[in-house]
């Protein structure tokens, strides 16, 4: 399957936080890696800089865009929590959450 792009990660990331609880970034990375069946070798693939794992980087970008659109918040460093707006988006049962969907929010 390979490593999904960050936009493909957005909806599953939002769903992982849909219980309203605080989730550590690391626990979300683990859950998403399992969901996308990212292999151990794929998880060890580094960006060209050699400083960060590609999968972690893409989860990070998904988080950044969801946070900018205020679908998730970060109550403390390395922790994410869904917002009321994020719950509303999930209630609409979108097939995909991506930059196009996020553009509806002024932030």
């Amino acid at each position: 399957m390979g490593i999904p792009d960050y936009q493909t990660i957005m909806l599953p990331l939002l769903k992982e936080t849909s219980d309203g609880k605080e989730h550590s970034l690391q626990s979300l990375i683990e859950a998403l890696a399992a969901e996308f069946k990212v292999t151990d070798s794929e998880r060890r693939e580094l960006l060209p800089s050699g400083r960060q794992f590609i999968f972690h980087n893409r989860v990070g970008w998904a988080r950044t865009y969801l946070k900018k659109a205020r679908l998730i918040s970060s109550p403390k460093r390395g922790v994410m929590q869904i917002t009321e707006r994020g719950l509303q988006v999930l209630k609409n049962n979108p097939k995909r959450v991506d930059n196009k969907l996020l553009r509806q929010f002024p932030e």
Side-chain angles (χ1 to χ4, degrees), residues 10-62:
M10 286 184 189
L11 180 58
L13 175 58
L14 201 56
K15 285 180 176 176
E16 284 291 331
T17 63
S18 66
D19 60 6
K21 295 179 180 157
E22 293 184 0
H23 295 268
S24 73
L25 177 58
Q26 196 55 48
S27 71
L28 291 167
I29 287 171
E30 296 302 322
L32 292 165
E35 180 167 341
F36 285 109
K37 296 175 179 56
V38 178
T39 66
D40 285 343
S41 65
E42 287 170 336
R43 289 185 66 176
R44 287 192 299 272
E45 286 180 36
L46 294 168
L47 291 169
S49 68
R51 293 200 177 141
Q52 191 180 22
F53 295 112
I54 294 171
F55 186 68
H56 289 205
N57 177 269
R58 292 186 182 167
V59 172
W61 279 111

Side-chain angles (χ1 to χ4, degrees), residues 45-105:
E45 286 180 36
L46 294 168
L47 291 169
S49 68
R51 293 200 177 141
Q52 191 180 22
F53 295 112
I54 294 171
F55 186 68
H56 289 205
N57 177 269
R58 292 186 182 167
V59 172
W61 279 111
R63 175 193 62 186
T64 297
Y65 280 92
L66 292 173
K67 214 169 130 182
K68 283 184 183 287
R70 300 204 176 139
L71 301 187
I72 60 171
S73 67
S74 190
K76 48 189 171 250
R77 193 172 196 279
V79 173
M80 284 171 273
Q81 189 171 26
I82 196 164
T83 62
E84 200 52 49
R85 180 184 280 176
L87 289 169
Q88 287 302 318
V89 167
L90 285 180
K91 278 184 188 161
N92 294 331
N93 204 18
K95 289 192 182 345
R96 180 174 165 94
V97 173
D98 55 20
N99 291 341
K100 185 179 175 196
L101 183 137
L102 298 182
R103 281 192 203 105
Q104 69 183 286
F105 304 112

